Amino acid sequence: MFGCDWFGFGPGGGYMHNGFMGGGLMGGGIFGMFINILIIALIAYLIFKLVQNLGGSTGNRGKSSRDSVQILRERYARGDIDEDEYLKRKEILEG
């Protein structure tokens, strides 16, 4: 099973010839091994994206931009910045 025939060479005749990968759905040899690695990587990527979306990292972007514009309006209303500065920064935040 763990001999020198992992990559389809040697007396065993294939990647785990009669083991759990022996000619089943995923095939054998190097191709079957790469398919398994690809499937595991795809599952890991989907779990990562799911956790990222559930964490709210994409949903906060729009809210923080609106909060920034609100803060900018308050600074302009208090007189901390002039109209030119207000318009310039508002364009950057909304653009």
Side-chain angles (χ1 to χ4, degrees):
M1 183 170 160
F2 293 103
C4 63
D5 60 346
W6 270 56
F7 299 107
F9 305 109
Y15 177 69
M16 293 187 176
H17 181 65
N18 289 322
F20 72 97
M21 294 301 292
L25 181 63
M26 296 298 157
I30 293 176
F31 180 74
M33 185 173 59
F34 284 130
I35 293 294
N36 288 330
I37 291 171
L38 184 67
I39 289 171
I40 291 170
L42 179 65
I43 291 170
Y45 175 76
L46 291 175
I47 290 172
F48 172 76
K49 283 303 204 180
L50 180 67
V51 169
Q52 186 180 27
N53 287 336
L54 291 178
S57 62
T58 57
N60 289 337
R61 289 183 187 145
K63 185 179 179 193
S64 67
S65 177
R66 281 177 281 180
D67 290 344
S68 300
V69 173
Q70 182 62 32
I71 292 170
L72 185 63
R73 286 185 188 133
E74 291 171 2
R75 289 186 64 198
Y76 177 63
R78 284 193 310 255
D80 294 343
I81 56 174
D82 61 356
E83 184 177 4
D84 292 332
E85 187 70 22
Y86 169 75
L87 294 174
K88 191 185 317 180
R89 290 184 185 206
K90 182 178 176 191
E91 183 179 336
I92 292 170
L93 289 172
E94 292 178 343

